[in-house]
């Protein structure tokens, strides 16, 4: 009997904590789907509406912002996967002059977020003529220290015998990387890709600095328009815009959450 | 590690050109877009507008923003600590919890904020935690709070709540992943000897996942140190965080010297935290 009561209490407490945890998000959903007069008032029978989404969609070119964010995360991820794979493979499997210094240089990036270097990076991008371009937004992030470190650790766990067997079968070095190392590190790639996409979809400061037109501005920067005082404080529209911005990631998470969590469990990030 | 395994793990001696070619693209990017701006900002922090060496930028940074520097350290440390404790609690409950529906619910719920951008999280919290926001209005309508005594949380508490809400899923995901991959026999043995769940968590589980926890916490610490949107949107008042001061010096005064000095202080702080991670990573993962 007491075990059953304990189980019941556990479940109730979990539900309460769960609701409390999701409350800001639930609040955003509530406000976005209800008229403005219910934005700070909870009434179960309040009428539902999509007008806030219409207003938010009309107030900013969201379709373009979505495309820009998609291009941005795709460019960054593609660059990271290529650069990090090649560098991690070299660090994990080869001995070459300056290896230690090069690895320390890469790892120092972990200590310092690129955001604090925005002033100088802005000047560099201006010299390259990359201001207000997707490449300008993406370049500072393509040589990810986290990615190189993570993949290097994963590559170091690949049995040497597999590499030797592939070599006997006639694989060259890059063939071994492509056919042996990359497939075996798949969970790490998936976990890393999800973290990277999530981070860069959400990135705000650098894109804010380096973009100045609708043609390149990503969603997060577009969303900041709603936070400015000259827009007035209409929380219903703000939260509708907020949901529009984070919606794709949330939907993707709903669809892929099993694979996502399994990848993290298998990746063994340490 | 046995000697024959060490031999198997030994790096291959091959062409010297190939590994350099493999590393070159990443290294070139790091040099141009990280090392160079870092060195340049370090130099700029130590020279005046005429190019003469000076500590004036640091004097100015400390004169105007010493409270903000302390505030930043306190806020980020407090948030990191809270994230750590809650991540252990979540991971522990997911690993040792005996009530299947509660475990399933917690597993489903805790990850959601991972995919919310900081700017969106700040937006949600700004409207949720305000004096006349939904939280207070709901408490008032439930009769739990007097309308006259409502208090907004749009200050340091709002920043900490937002940071914890946003960063906890990432660390909890890493920690619960590490906990799930632990050898269950030690946990079962402790259970058979009569150890309670809390004792098993503190004395058996947490020590084994400590490296993963540290990775998550240090990455969170560095991330929170560099966030601009949360302190700007959640707490518009003073004291504020270093990132806001940097933006203010640049936007209002064009004072790149003081901004770089603040940046230097910021990455000295994150560097100290990340060094712990690197030292452990190098010790655990072999020499770089």
């Amino acid at each position: 009997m007491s075990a059953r009561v304990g189980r019941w209490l556990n479940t109730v407490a979990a539900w309460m904590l769960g609701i409390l945890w999701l409350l800001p998000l639930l609040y955003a959903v509530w406000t976005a789907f209800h008229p403005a007069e219910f934005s700070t008032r909870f009434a179960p029978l309040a009428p539902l509406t999509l007008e806030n989404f219409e207003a938010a969609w009309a107030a900013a070119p969201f379709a373009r912002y979505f495309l820009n964010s998609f291009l941005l995360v795709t460019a960054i991820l593609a660059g990271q996967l290529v650069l990090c794979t090649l560098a991690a493979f070299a660090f994990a499997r080869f001995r070459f002059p300056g290896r230690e210094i090069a690895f320390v240089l890469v790892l120092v990036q972990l200590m310092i977020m690129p955001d604090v270097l925005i002033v100088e990076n802005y000047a560099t991008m201006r010299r390259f003529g990359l201001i207000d371009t997707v490449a300008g937004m993406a370049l500072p992030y393509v040589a990810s220290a986290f990615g190189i470190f993570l993949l290097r650790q994963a590559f170091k766990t690949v049995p040497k015998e597999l590499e030797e067997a592939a070599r006997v079968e006639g694989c060259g070095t890059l063939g071994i990387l492509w056919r042996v190392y990359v497939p075996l590190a798949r969970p790490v790639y998936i976990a890393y890709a999800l973290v990277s996409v999530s981070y860069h979809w959400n990135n705000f400061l650098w894109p804010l600095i380096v973009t100045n037109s609708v043609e390149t501005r990503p969603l997060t920067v577009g969303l900041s328009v709603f936070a400015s005082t000259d827009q007035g404080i209409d929380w219903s529209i703000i939260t509708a815009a907020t949901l529009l911005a984070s919606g794709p990631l949330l939907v993707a998470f709903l669809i892929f959450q099993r694979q996502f969590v399994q990848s993290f469990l298998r990746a063994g990030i340490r | 590690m046995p000697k024959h395994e060490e031999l198997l793990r030994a790096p291959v001696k091959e062409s010297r050109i190939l590994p350099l070619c493999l590393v070159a693209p990443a290294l070139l990017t790091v040099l141009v877009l990280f090392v160079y701006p870092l060195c340049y900002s370090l130099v700029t922090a130590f020279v005046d507008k005429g190019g003469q060496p000076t500590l004036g930028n640091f004097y100015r940074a400390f004169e105007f923003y010493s409270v903000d520097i302390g505030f930043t350290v306190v806020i980020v440390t407090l948030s990191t600590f809270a994230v750590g404790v809650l991540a252990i609690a979540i991971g522990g409950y997911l690993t040792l919890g005996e009530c299947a529906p509660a475990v399933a619910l917690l597993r489903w719920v805790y990850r959601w904020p991972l995919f919310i951008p900081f700017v969106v999280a700040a937006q949600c919290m700004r409207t949720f935690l305000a004096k006349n926001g939904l939280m207070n209005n709901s408490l008032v309508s439930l009769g739990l709070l007097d309308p006259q005594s409502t208090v907004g949380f749009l200050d340091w508490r709002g920043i900490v709540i937002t940071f914890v809400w946003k960063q906890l899923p990432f660390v909890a995901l890493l920690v619960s992943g590490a906990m799930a991959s632990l050898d269950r026999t030690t946990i079962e043995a402790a259970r058979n000897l009569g150890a309670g769940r809390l004792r098993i968590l503190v004395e058996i589980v947490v020590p084994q996942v400590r490296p993963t926890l540290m990775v998550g916490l240090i990455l969170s610490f560095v991330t929170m140190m560099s966030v601009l949107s949360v302190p700007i949107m959640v707490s518009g008042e003073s004291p504020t965080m270093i990132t806001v001061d940097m933006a203010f010096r640049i936007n209002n005064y064009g004072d790149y010297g003081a901004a770089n000095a603040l940046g230097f202080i910021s990455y000295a702080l994150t560097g100290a935290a990340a060094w712990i991670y690197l030292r452990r990573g190098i010790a655990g993962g072999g020499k770089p």
Side-chain angles (χ1 to χ4, degrees):
Chain A
M1 183 66 184
S2 65
R4 190 189 276 178
V5 171
R7 193 181 166 84
W8 187 82
L9 281 176
N10 243 325
T11 310
V12 170
W15 270 102
M16 286 178 68
L17 272 175
I19 290 168
L20 189 70
W21 185 245
L22 284 183
L23 216 49
L25 205 56
L26 295 175
Y27 160 68
V29 174
W30 167 268
T31 313
F33 283 99
H34 289 89
E37 58 265 35
F38 294 98
S39 64
T40 56
R41 189 157 61 87
F42 182 70
L45 297 176
L48 291 167
T49 180
L50 289 174
E51 279 177 11
N52 299 319
F53 288 94
E54 283 172 27
W57 190 268
F62 270 101
R64 183 72 215 193
Y65 292 157
F66 271 115
L67 177 67
N68 295 340
S69 281
F70 176 77
L71 290 175
L72 175 65
V73 295
T74 308
I76 291 178
L77 186 61
Q80 283 176 336
L81 291 182
V82 174
L83 265 62
C84 295
T85 299
L86 295 177
F89 184 53
F91 284 128
R93 283 305 188 212
F94 295 95
R95 208 174 264 155
F96 56 91
R99 188 176 75 147
E100 283 76 12
I101 295 170
F103 192 57
V104 168
L105 273 182
V106 167
L107 288 191
V108 168
Q109 282 189 101
L110 276 177
M111 299 182 191
I112 298 159
M113 295 297 280
D115 294 358
V116 295
L117 301 173
I118 49 174
V119 178
E120 306 314 329
N121 273 341
Y122 182 86
T124 307
M125 290 303 149
R126 198 172 49 193
R127 276 196 288 275
F128 290 164
L130 292 175
I131 294 296
D132 203 24
T133 63
V134 171
M137 278 190 285
L139 262 180
Y141 298 99
V142 291
S144 156
F146 185 50
I148 293 173
F149 187 67
L150 208 60
L151 289 172
R152 170 190 176 262
Q153 300 298 88
F155 289 164
K156 280 172 86 81
T157 64
V158 173
K160 204 77 195 302
E161 293 81 353
L162 291 176
E163 183 181 330
E164 282 157 7
R167 210 175 283 280
V168 170
E169 294 290 328
C171 256
T173 305
L174 289 178
I176 290 170
L177 170 63
W178 182 245
R179 292 193 173 86
V180 177
Y181 284 87
V182 171
L184 287 173
R186 214 177 119 208
V188 179
Y189 275 106
I190 295 174
Y192 175 69
L194 287 162
V195 170
S196 170
V197 167
S198 159
Y199 178 83
H200 293 291
W201 186 275
N202 297 343
N203 198 7
F204 172 64
L205 184 57
W206 175 243
L208 174 73
I209 301 289
V210 85
T211 61
N212 49 34
S213 73
V214 168
E215 283 68 37
T216 48
R217 208 172 276 156
L219 267 172
T220 45
V221 179
L223 192 67
S224 66
V225 170
F226 291 92
S228 61
T229 47
D230 54 338
Q231 283 278 325
I233 305 289
D234 189 334
W235 288 355
S236 306
I237 297 177
I238 287 174
T239 48
T242 297
L243 287 185
L244 280 174
S246 50
L249 277 186
L250 292 174
V251 171
F253 174 59
L254 257 184
I255 296 169
F256 297 112
Q257 62 171 318
R258 185 178 292 273
Q259 292 91 322
F260 175 68
V261 175
Q262 285 302 316
S263 295
F264 254 90
L265 295 184
R266 286 185 201 143
I269 294 166
R270 291 186 174 92
Chain B
M1 187 186 281
K3 204 168 180 181
H4 67 278
E5 278 195 32
E6 275 182 34
L7 286 173
L8 283 173
R9 293 269 175 274
V12 183
K13 280 186 182 174
E14 282 190 26
S15 153
R16 287 186 166 193
I17 302 294
L18 179 68
L20 288 174
C21 292
L22 294 174
V23 170
L27 202 56
L28 191 68
T29 314
V30 170
L31 286 173
V32 174
L33 293 167
F34 180 74
V35 176
Y36 167 72
L38 179 65
C39 294
Y40 194 86
S41 75
L42 282 177
V43 171
T44 316
F46 287 96
V47 296
D48 61 18
K49 283 183 178 168
Q52 296 302 311
T54 178
L55 287 174
N57 296 323
F58 284 90
Y59 285 132
R60 219 160 43 252
F62 280 109
E63 186 184 347
F64 296 132
Y65 303 116
S66 53
V67 175
D68 289 354
I69 293 166
F71 180 77
T72 304
V73 172
V74 170
I75 288 284
V76 176
T77 307
L78 190 63
S79 305
T80 308
F81 179 75
V83 165
V85 171
L86 291 171
I88 290 171
I90 289 174
Y93 196 80
L94 293 180
T95 310
L96 305 171
E98 288 157 0
C99 177
V103 169
L105 180 77
L106 183 64
R107 183 168 286 135
W108 189 74
V109 158
Y110 84 89
R111 300 173 198 139
W112 284 91
L114 184 66
F115 299 96
I116 310 288
F118 268 111
V119 63
V120 171
Q123 192 87 275
C124 282
M125 291 298 182
R126 196 172 72 134
T127 46
F128 182 72
L129 298 173
K131 192 170 160 51
N132 58 343
L134 186 78
M135 186 183 73
N136 279 330
N137 285 358
S138 302
L139 291 174
V140 168
S141 60
L142 287 169
L144 297 171
L145 200 64
D146 176 41
Q148 303 300 319
S149 55
T150 54
V151 180
F153 284 83
L154 299 184
D155 48 24
W156 67 271
R157 290 168 297 186
I159 300 177
V160 172
I161 290 170
T162 313
F163 277 159
V164 172
W165 191 71
K166 177 73 188 78
Q167 284 304 113
L168 178 58
F170 174 66
V171 181
L173 195 59
L174 292 181
V175 169
S176 58
M179 285 182 181
S181 60
L182 289 180
D183 183 3
R184 298 286 299 187
T185 51
T186 49
I187 296 171
E188 295 308 324
R191 225 174 228 161
N192 291 339
L193 290 170
R197 277 191 287 174
L198 186 63
R199 193 166 175 204
I200 293 173
L201 178 67
V202 173
E203 292 183 13
I204 294 175
V205 176
V206 172
Q208 293 187 72
V209 300
R210 211 175 62 179
T212 308
L213 177 67
M214 287 301 290
V215 171
L217 290 183
I218 286 162
L219 289 174
S220 289
F221 184 91
V222 175
T223 303
M224 289 186 283
M225 281 292 291
S226 71
V227 172
L228 172 70
S229 52
V230 173
I232 277 190
M233 291 168 79
V234 172
S235 163
E237 60 189 39
S238 184
T240 188
M241 291 183 66
I242 293 176
T243 44
V244 180
D245 296 329
M246 286 173 70
F248 180 76
R249 292 310 300 183
I250 292 169
N251 290 335
N252 290 50
Y253 297 106
D255 185 359
Y256 291 92
N260 278 322
L262 285 167
F264 179 88
I265 294 163
S266 173
Y267 43 73
L269 292 169
T270 54
W275 177 246
I276 300 166
Y277 168 48
L278 285 184
R279 210 176 48 173
R280 190 208 61 76
I282 288 169
K287 283 177 77 176

